Amino acid sequence: MVCLAGALFAAAGCGGGSPEGGDGPVELRFGWWGNNDRAAATQRVIDAFQAKNPGIKIKGEFTDFNSYFDRLATQVAGSDAPDVITLGGAYPREYGDRGALLDLSTVSADLKTDKIGEAALGNGNFSDTQYGVPTGVNAIALIVDPVVFEKAGVPLPDTETWTWDDFKRIAKEIADKSPEGTYGLADPTRTDMLDAFSRQRGEALYTADGKVGIGQQTLVDWWNMTIELRDAKATPSASKTAELITQPAPEQSLIGRGLAGMQFDWSNQLTALRKASGHPLELRRVPGETGAKQAGMWLQASQLYTVNAKSEHPKEAAKFVDFLVNSPEAGEIILNDRGVSANSDVRAAVQAKLSPDDAAQVKFIDELTPKAGPPLVIGPTGSTDTPKILDRINAEVLFDKRAPADAAAEFIKQVTAVIAQ
């Protein structure tokens, strides 16, 4: 990623449109990530907003997830960021702390948040400042493919009680009883799963005061597990895993091609993965929740809408965000694509219009809510580099270039370095 240090302090002039007092419409740019299906739905929302607000024109800009944040960093560094910016993970805190995002209290007359739950709204609040509003809520989950399980003759797991040992056994059994090229799952190493795994042990990826919180032994145990799965061919080879990392689209994933029985992913990916696979995929709790020191799963704002601090049209940008999160009309178009609506009125309004896929996500979130663990500790400034650090070190582990203990120490060292800058 282009280094954010310093760049975010540059003037981030954005947006187009007529100059102050001009006769033409205000023009805003809206940046987000996704696939072509999301692009089509987003354009319908833009069209609906423009129909109600003929004095405001919205230009949507999107790319795939892997490219989005690199491009955004370059745009901010070049004073060319969109007016409305979609963010996720640790990015809202990082951009907010460095002055690139608007304090939304300054546009509260145009952007209402009273119907958005506090737990969800808190995902966009840092340093006592509301920088973002949630597009919706979701949760890290295990997605299972009943078709693959049935073909392998493996019963679906009881995910209310299963352990990580149960998970490993089932993953191996699927691979053993399936045709070559079908796996228990793709390599599961990702930052959100390290968070869930460590939270079950009373840790977390980060501490509230901005330090690395995951223990070295927790990382060693994780990598010992993933090596065991690789060696049993329950997950792909190191070279295949490296290839899959560059193919993030649902239709490119193993489970999206019907070639895996399980996949850790966010609950709002269910619809896209069902469509890609053509199978009735299901959402389940991750292993190890029952009997853990604390629940590892949490409710998460799937994405956040933010406003560029240097937007020439902050009131109009806020008005557009208000439409995105508070309008039943927008909700009926977006449905659950960006998470289960965090606005209670919108959620109620669209309930009857939800597809079976969307209804399954709402049901999962409803059932998880009383069982979820404490709120996630959002990573400090610099932690947006953590996923790339993890990918590099994980590749070294899978290619047998680093032992788990060495990898654990190196991961903690590198992440500590980037968040201390």
Side-chain angles (χ1 to χ4, degrees):
M1 171 179 288
V2 176
C3 181
L4 292 175
L8 292 176
F9 293 106
C14 60
S18 59
E20 196 70 28
D23 296 328
V26 166
E27 295 182 2
L28 301 176
R29 291 163 55 211
F30 172 34
W32 51 275
W33 68 85
N35 57 17
N36 289 333
D37 289 340
R38 179 174 287 174
T42 301
Q43 187 58 51
R44 288 173 59 203
V45 173
I46 290 172
D47 292 343
F49 174 79
Q50 291 179 154
K52 293 181 178 297
N53 300 274
I56 305 174
K57 298 298 181 185
I58 308 294
K59 177 186 177 183
E61 302 177 358
F62 80 99
T63 185
D64 65 87
F65 180 81
N66 282 2
S67 305
Y68 178 79
F69 293 102
D70 285 340
R71 185 175 78 168
L72 179 61
T74 301
Q75 288 175 323
V76 172
S79 302
D80 191 36
D83 299 270
V84 176
I85 305 170
T86 308
L87 293 174
Y91 286 97
R93 181 172 180 175
E94 180 153 339
Y95 278 85
D97 284 350
R98 299 190 183 199
L101 303 180
L102 184 71
D103 176 353
L104 296 183
S105 69
T106 63
V107 288
S108 59
D110 298 287
L111 173 54
K112 304 297 184 182
T113 60
D114 54 302
K115 294 294 184 178
I116 299 175
E118 289 186 13
L121 199 59
N123 283 265
N125 190 295
F126 313 102
S127 304
D128 297 321
T129 303
Q130 195 71 44
Y131 288 117
V133 292
T135 66
V137 293
N138 60 3
I140 191 66
L142 183 81
I143 300 178
V144 300
D145 188 336
V147 174
V148 173
F149 272 81
E150 183 177 1
K151 286 182 178 180
V154 178
L156 288 170
D158 177 0
T159 59
E160 290 300 306
T161 60
W162 71 335
T163 65
W164 286 100
D165 285 339
D166 294 328
F167 164 74
K168 289 190 295 182
R169 173 181 52 78
I170 290 169
K172 293 175 186 177
E173 194 174 353
I174 290 171
D176 288 343
K177 296 182 178 180
S178 297
E180 185 176 354
T182 297
Y183 303 92
L185 72 161
D187 179 77
T189 303
R190 44 191 293 167
T191 54
D192 40 38
M193 282 311 302
L194 288 186
D195 232 327
F197 191 67
S198 62
R199 281 162 58 93
Q200 289 179 351
R201 299 179 174 206
E203 304 170 351
L205 191 52
Y206 306 105
T207 63
D209 60 350
K211 304 290 193 300
V212 176
I214 190 170
Q216 184 165 333
Q217 188 58 50
T218 298
L219 288 163
V220 170
D221 292 345
W222 176 266
W223 271 311
N224 280 335
M225 176 180 68
T226 62
I227 290 172
E228 183 180 341
L229 292 170
R230 179 208 62 187
D231 289 347
K233 298 185 178 180
T235 57
S237 65
S239 58
K240 181 67 174 176
T241 293
E243 176 186 347
L244 288 168
I245 288 175
T246 67
Q247 300 172 343
E251 58 270 18
Q252 295 172 313
S253 66
L254 290 179
I255 201 167
R257 289 182 283 157
L259 298 177
M262 301 179 285
Q263 175 170 304
F264 291 111
D265 215 323
W266 290 97
S267 56
N268 68 331
Q269 292 302 300
L270 180 68
T271 299
L273 288 168
R274 278 182 171 181
K275 181 178 180 180
S277 67
H279 293 175
L281 308 182
E282 299 177 5
L283 292 166
R284 301 295 179 95
R285 294 171 78 195
V286 304
E289 289 288 273
T290 303
K293 189 170 183 178
Q294 68 175 12
M297 298 175 69
W298 68 94
L299 293 178
Q300 173 81 12
S302 50
Q303 299 167 22
L304 291 166
Y305 293 130
T306 67
V307 175
N308 191 317
K310 299 300 181 181
S311 172
E312 296 175 4
H313 307 290
K315 287 174 62 65
E316 290 83 356
K319 191 172 185 177
F320 178 55
V321 173
D322 184 83
F323 184 80
L324 288 170
V325 299
N326 292 327
S327 166
E329 184 176 1
E332 289 175 8
I333 298 171
I334 297 171
L335 296 175
N336 286 8
D337 181 62
R338 288 175 166 93
V340 176
S341 176
N343 180 305
S344 56
D345 286 350
V346 174
R347 195 161 59 243
V350 306
Q351 184 68 37
K353 298 179 175 63
L354 293 176
S355 68
D357 295 344
D358 291 332
Q361 294 174 45
V362 173
K363 181 175 183 289
F364 179 75
I365 293 296
D366 285 344
E367 292 176 349
L368 174 63
T369 298
K371 303 172 184 175
L376 183 72
V377 177
I378 303 298
T381 298
S383 63
T384 49
D385 283 341
T386 299
K388 292 184 178 181
I389 293 171
L390 181 61
D391 283 347
R392 289 195 301 268
I393 295 177
N394 187 56
E396 293 174 342
V397 171
L398 295 179
F399 279 105
D400 293 321
K401 294 181 178 179
R402 278 190 192 271
D406 183 32
E410 185 64 20
F411 175 80
I412 292 172
K413 175 184 175 182
Q414 290 192 27
V415 175
T416 297
V418 296
I419 65 178
Q421 292 177 0

